[in-house]
Amino acid sequence: MSETEKNVAPTEEEEVVDAVRDNILTALESVIDPELGIDIVNLGLIYGVDLNDEGLCHIKMTLTTMGCPLSDLLNEQINLSLSEVPEVKDVDIELVWYPAWSVDKMSRYARIALGIR
């Protein structure tokens, strides 16, 4: 990063986008993986979040294992949690398998909670 780039403050629009993205991620932290008892954000299952101008929130995520029987439950919980974010009008969940999930994607919090070093 150049010295000029370091001194450029974010625009008001960028700050609003960042705040909405933070609100979405905070809402997603209420979605708990029932098998592991940790939220899907700290588990590292969320690969991307995008909100368009019409309020469509596109979530790119994975699961800990292919064929997870809890995917429908997680989808319901995601939709419910995001209904609390005023900017989100609709939710599109894209399930991806690449890159493959591993414990390396978990936050420090999740690793400590599960006793993984």
Side-chain angles (χ1 to χ4, degrees), residues 32-39 43 45 64 70 101 106 113-114:
I32 306 298
D33 181 296
E35 292 180 321
L36 298 174
I38 305 291
D39 69 86
L43 281 176
L45 300 179
T64 55
L70 300 171
W101 180 86
M106 292 173 29
L114 294 174

Side-chain angles (χ1 to χ4, degrees), residues 23-32 40 59 74-86 88 91:
N23 289 343
I24 290 170
L25 288 172
T26 299
L28 290 174
E29 285 179 346
S30 71
V31 178
I32 306 298
I40 61 175
I59 304 292
L74 291 175
N75 287 351
E76 288 175 24
Q77 290 180 359
I78 288 168
N79 278 288
L80 183 61
S81 71
L82 293 181
S83 70
E84 301 296 319
V85 179
V88 175
V91 179

Side-chain angles (χ1 to χ4, degrees), residues 48-89:
V49 171
D50 185 45
L51 182 69
N52 71 16
D53 293 338
E54 288 78 39
L56 174 64
C57 183
H58 181 82
I59 304 292
K60 188 180 283 190
M61 69 174 288
T62 194
L63 300 171
T64 55
T65 59
M66 259 193 191
C68 174
L70 300 171
S71 62
D72 289 341
L73 174 66
L74 291 175
N75 287 351
E76 288 175 24
Q77 290 180 359
I78 288 168
N79 278 288
L80 183 61
S81 71
L82 293 181
S83 70
E84 301 296 319
V85 179
E87 294 84 359
V88 175
K89 306 300 179 216

Side-chain angles (χ1 to χ4, degrees), residues 89-102:
K89 306 300 179 216
D90 198 10
V91 179
D92 174 47
I93 301 169
E94 178 185 1
L95 202 54
V96 297
W97 300 108
Y98 183 82
W101 180 86
S102 71

